[in-house]
């Protein structure tokens, strides 16, 4: 932390290179940056549950939760509050977007909030792609009996479905970023998995048509979403249009909380 060249420029969002996968140290100094979870939608419900999970597993971290709203002002206030409690020459906060992939609206709001705060902040990448996301998606499918719960057993038993459409929001960029997670999920399920977007191309209907073209009749929809970033009925409506069953969104899953904490831990390790 003594080399000023590794510190972010005051008032600018800095995204560390590489994927953020380091665990959080068990002990942190009092001046350690706050972990600020930035969410689209209200800072309640699923996002509050995730914050509580992170606090429970990592009591050494100061965890704050901020809704981006329409103008990012709540995030700006959270960053200013964190800075008042820390030395001027230190990073006040690590902002972790509660998103599985890039989201143009969230990215713009976070960048604006950081700039408005005038605070030294590091903004991490979104939580995906990552094997833990694939594992959580597998669990959500299994909870709806749309996948075998244990991929290591019962390999000769037929799967509940023939293929999966994994859906995202955030435009074509988010869908492209989700491809590695889809590959990991396909490996876990030993089934074809295609990525589709709920708000752009590639669309769900097109993905379903491609899967049926290779013989898949029973298709499941797997939302690669935490929840607040999309209307709660969007995925289920898309599933109904293609005659598919739909798993639940990731929600306040422990693996999502773990990924958010690891994003924070990676910033500390890089410093």
């Amino acid at each position: 932390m003594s080399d000023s060249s590794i510190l972010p420029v005051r008032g600018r969002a800095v995204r560390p290179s590489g994927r953020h996968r380091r665990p959080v140290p068990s002990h942190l100094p009092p001046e350690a940056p706050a972990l600020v979870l930035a969410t689209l939608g209200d800072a309640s419900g699923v996002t509050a549950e995730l914050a509580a999970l992170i606090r429970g597993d990592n009591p050494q971290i100061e965890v704050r939760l901020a809704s981006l709203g329409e103008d990012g002002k709540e995030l700006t206030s959270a960053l200013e509050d964190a800075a008042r409690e820390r030395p001027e020459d230190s990073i006040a906060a690590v902002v972790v977007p509660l998103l599985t992939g890039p989201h143009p609206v969230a990215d713009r709001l976070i960048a604006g909030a950081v700039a408005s705060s005038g605070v030294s902040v590091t903004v991490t990448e979104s939580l995906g792609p990552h094997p833990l996301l694939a594992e959580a998606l597998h669990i959500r499918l299994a909870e709806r009996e749309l996948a075998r719960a244990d991929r290591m057993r019962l390999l000769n038993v037929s799967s509940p479905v023939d293929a999966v459409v994994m859906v995202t929001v955030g435009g074509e960029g988010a869908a492209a970023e989700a491809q590695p997670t889809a590959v990991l999920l396909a490996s876990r399920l030993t089934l074809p998995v295609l990525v589709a977007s709920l708000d752009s191309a590639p669309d769900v209907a097109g993905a379903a048509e491609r899967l049926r073209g290779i013989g898949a009749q029973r298709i499941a929809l797997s939302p690669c979403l935490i929840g607040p970033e999309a209307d709660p009925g969007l995925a289920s409506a898309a599933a109904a249009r293609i005659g598919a069953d739909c798993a639940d969104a990731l929600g306040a899953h422990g693996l999502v909380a773990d990924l958010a904490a690891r994003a924070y831990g990676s910033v500390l390790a890089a410093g």
Side-chain angles (χ1 to χ4, degrees):
M1 299 292 290
S2 60
D3 183 355
S4 61
S5 66
I6 66 173
L7 293 177
V9 177
R10 182 172 295 276
R12 294 180 60 191
V14 177
R15 296 180 184 269
S17 61
R19 284 293 167 186
H20 41 308
R21 303 303 171 228
R22 299 292 184 88
V24 179
S26 57
H27 298 286
L28 294 174
E31 68 273 15
L35 166 54
V36 181
L37 302 169
T39 180
L40 289 166
D42 293 334
S44 61
V46 165
T47 50
E49 291 175 37
L50 283 169
L53 284 172
I54 296 169
R55 292 186 186 104
D57 291 338
N58 304 274
Q60 73 277 32
I61 306 176
E62 179 192 348
V63 181
R64 296 170 179 256
L65 179 58
S67 169
L68 292 173
E70 296 182 355
D71 53 17
K73 288 184 178 179
E74 186 175 319
L75 177 57
T76 296
S77 296
L79 298 177
E80 291 170 344
D81 288 345
R84 280 191 284 269
E85 299 172 5
R86 286 164 177 82
E88 285 190 15
D89 59 350
S90 68
I91 299 176
V94 175
V95 178
V96 178
L98 282 179
L99 294 161
T100 59
H103 193 290
V105 173
D107 292 346
R108 173 179 55 79
L109 289 170
I110 291 171
V114 171
S116 296
S117 73
V119 172
S120 291
V121 173
T122 297
V123 181
T124 73
E125 296 176 325
S126 55
L127 301 181
H130 195 271
L132 291 182
L133 280 183
E135 182 178 351
L137 291 168
H138 184 177
I139 291 169
R140 291 297 189 227
L141 284 163
E143 288 171 347
R144 288 282 185 169
E145 298 184 348
L146 299 174
R148 291 189 300 269
D150 187 343
R151 65 192 177 108
M152 301 306 295
R153 298 185 295 112
L154 309 175
L155 293 182
N156 294 322
V157 177
S158 62
S159 172
V161 299
D162 303 319
V164 172
V165 177
M166 192 184 87
V167 292
T168 64
V169 295
E172 293 184 51
E177 284 281 331
Q179 291 291 343
T181 298
V183 171
L184 292 165
L185 181 59
S187 178
R188 294 184 65 90
L189 300 175
T190 62
L191 293 173
V193 177
L194 292 183
V195 177
S197 175
L198 293 173
D199 58 9
S200 74
D203 67 345
V204 174
E209 184 178 355
R210 287 176 58 194
L211 290 170
R212 291 196 168 108
I214 61 172
Q217 297 301 314
R218 302 165 300 169
I219 297 174
L221 205 73
S222 176
C224 191
L225 309 168
I226 294 172
E229 67 271 40
D231 184 288
L234 206 56
S236 57
R241 285 194 295 271
I242 63 168
D245 291 314
C246 188
D248 292 332
L250 293 166
H253 197 287
L255 293 175
V256 176
D258 185 33
L259 277 173
R262 285 170 178 260
Y264 174 88
S266 179
V267 172
L268 299 190

